[in-house]
């Protein structure tokens, strides 16, 4: 008799962590005489990016983080963006800097990220922070993979000794989460959309993390019974009636009857990304001001 998977509620876990951060910030701000500060830089008028930025700013208010975001017109030059980052690097009120992606095509994303001071790089994408992660040293970690690890901890899932398969090799999710799971003593396999016989690889996974941006790529027959399935994908698809909906990289309706644990889309990993951004900002604040 089949048993439906435990649904990993990312929204509830995010709210719990944000509540803890709010209490922490209230206490620390009295010692430091200022709150933590986060600056989100957005260039252009991408509607999805604008929605993400609004969500981040609302979340900052909830936990008591001061927001120093700036919105630049689409025609902003590379020099202007780099100058804004340089000013924020020197601004003592700002503990975290994030460049909202994607940038307009004429701007160099890598140069912009590399210009952020590593200790203010709350997206965890600077080469120094990625190097720290590789070496197992303390540093600011990429928010989405760190959010996945926080979900596993919250649900009492210990990666130690488990077979973990990552589908997707991006610098944003796939590679960092592989390093984090390795550090947690999982045996890690990296796969991607071009891996031959992907199902043969994913069926061995006790923990399956999928982040490739392909709607419902992973079907129930590709999931090991009882596996922990973490769906990082978020895709907007249109059905035959012309109705739009969000879906992940996993076929949720079928996989939930095979998996032991599964994240929904939306409401799974998504809320954790913003929450870990806030947590990184608070950690940077604590380190920079010596508040440990």
């Amino acid at each position: 008799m089949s048993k439906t998977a435990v649904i990993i509620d990312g929204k509830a876990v995010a709210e719990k962590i944000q509540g803890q951060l709010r209490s922490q910030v209230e206490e620390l701000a009295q010692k430091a005489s200022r709150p933590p500060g986060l600056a989100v830089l957005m260039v252009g008028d991408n509607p999805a990016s604008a929605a993400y930025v609004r969500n981040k700013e609302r979340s900052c208010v909830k936990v008591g983080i001061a927001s120093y975001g700036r919105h630049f017109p689409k025609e902003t030059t590379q020099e202007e963006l780099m100058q804004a980052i340089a000013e924020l690097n020197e601004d003592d009120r700002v503990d975290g800097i994030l460049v909202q992606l994607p940038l307009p095509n004429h701007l160099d994303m890598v140069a912009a990220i590399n210009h952020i001071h590593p200790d203010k790089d709350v997206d965890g994408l600077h080469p120094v922070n990625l190097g720290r992660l590789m070496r197992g040293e303390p540093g600011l970690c990429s928010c989405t993979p760190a959010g996945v690890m926080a979900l596993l901890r919250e649900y009492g899932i210990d990666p130690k000794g488990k077979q973990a398969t990552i589908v997707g090799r991006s610098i944003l999710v796939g590679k960092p989460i592989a390093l984090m799971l390795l550090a947690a003593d999982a045996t890690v396999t990296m796969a991607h959309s071009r891996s031959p016989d992907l199902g043969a690889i994913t069926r061995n996974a006790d923990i399956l993390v999928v982040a490739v941006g392909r709607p419902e790529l992973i079907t129930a027959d590709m999931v090991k019974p009882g596996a922990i399935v973490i769906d990082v994908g978020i895709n907007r698809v249109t059905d035959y009636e012309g109705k739009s909906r969000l879906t992940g990289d996993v076929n949720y309706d079928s996989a939930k009857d095979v998996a032991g644990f599964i994240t929904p889309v939306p409401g799974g990993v998504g809320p954790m990304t913003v929450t870990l951004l806030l947590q990184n900002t608070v950690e940077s604040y604590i380190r920079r001001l010596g508040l440990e």
Side-chain angles (χ1 to χ4, degrees):
M1 189 167 135
S2 67
K3 180 185 171 189
T4 303
V6 173
I7 310 305
I8 296 176
D9 188 344
K11 189 174 180 184
V13 177
E15 286 175 357
K16 177 182 174 181
I17 294 172
Q18 288 186 26
Q20 293 166 346
L21 287 173
R22 184 167 56 249
S23 300
Q24 188 179 16
V25 167
E26 283 174 5
E27 183 181 335
L28 292 172
Q30 292 177 354
K31 295 180 188 175
S33 73
R34 73 163 177 86
L38 173 65
V40 179
L41 304 181
M42 178 179 158
V43 183
D45 50 9
N46 181 304
S49 291
Y52 289 140
V53 170
R54 282 195 301 272
N55 186 25
K56 288 165 183 169
E57 289 172 346
R58 280 196 298 266
S59 298
C60 280
V61 171
K62 279 174 66 178
V63 302
I65 293 174
S67 181
Y68 298 103
R70 293 182 63 184
H71 185 182
F72 296 89
K74 186 177 180 181
E75 56 273 16
T76 296
T77 65
Q78 187 78 29
E79 185 180 355
E80 288 168 332
L81 179 59
M82 302 292 259
Q83 178 61 33
I85 293 170
E87 290 170 3
L88 291 168
N89 282 338
E90 299 300 320
D91 191 334
D92 286 337
R93 303 170 302 166
V94 175
D95 303 291
I97 304 168
L98 178 147
V99 175
Q100 180 65 43
L101 304 177
L103 289 172
N105 291 335
H106 70 282
L107 295 176
D108 185 336
M109 172 195 77
V110 173
I113 290 169
N114 290 357
H115 202 50
I116 298 171
H117 192 288
D119 293 341
K120 292 190 176 187
D121 164 42
V122 285
D123 232 2
L125 296 178
H126 192 283
V128 167
N129 285 322
L130 291 169
R132 286 169 176 163
L133 177 62
M134 173 71 79
R135 291 169 60 92
E137 297 172 355
L140 295 169
C141 292
S142 186
C143 299
T144 300
V148 170
M149 297 302 290
L151 286 176
L152 295 179
R153 285 193 298 273
E154 182 66 24
Y155 278 80
I157 299 165
D158 184 357
K160 185 175 183 177
K162 291 184 171 61
Q163 297 284 337
T165 296
I166 319 298
V167 184
R169 51 187 167 178
S170 76
I171 205 72
L172 287 170
V173 180
K175 290 172 183 171
I177 191 65
L179 291 168
M180 291 177 191
L181 285 164
L182 270 175
D185 297 325
T187 299
V188 176
T189 299
M190 291 290 293
H192 45 82
S193 59
R194 292 181 179 83
S195 296
D197 198 357
L198 185 58
I201 302 170
T202 59
R203 276 190 293 273
N204 286 323
D206 302 310
I207 300 174
L208 178 61
V209 182
V210 192
V212 283
R214 293 203 175 185
E216 301 181 351
L217 173 70
I218 303 297
T219 51
D221 64 313
M222 299 168 75
V223 175
K224 180 180 181 178
I228 297 113
V229 178
I230 307 292
D231 189 353
V232 183
I234 184 158
N235 313 280
R236 187 167 291 281
V237 297
T238 305
D239 64 18
Y240 65 93
E241 294 179 338
K243 292 179 181 174
S244 177
R245 64 182 176 89
L246 291 177
T247 188
D249 292 349
V250 176
N251 186 305
Y252 177 83
D253 288 339
S254 63
K256 69 180 171 54
D257 293 329
V258 179
F261 292 80
I262 193 168
T263 58
V265 176
V269 176
M272 296 299 293
T273 299
V274 172
T275 299
L276 268 293
L277 172 68
L278 304 178
Q279 186 167 295
N280 276 350
T281 302
V282 174
E283 285 181 10
S284 172
Y285 167 71
I286 289 169
R287 284 189 197 132
R288 292 182 66 249
L289 298 184
L291 297 171
E292 286 98 340

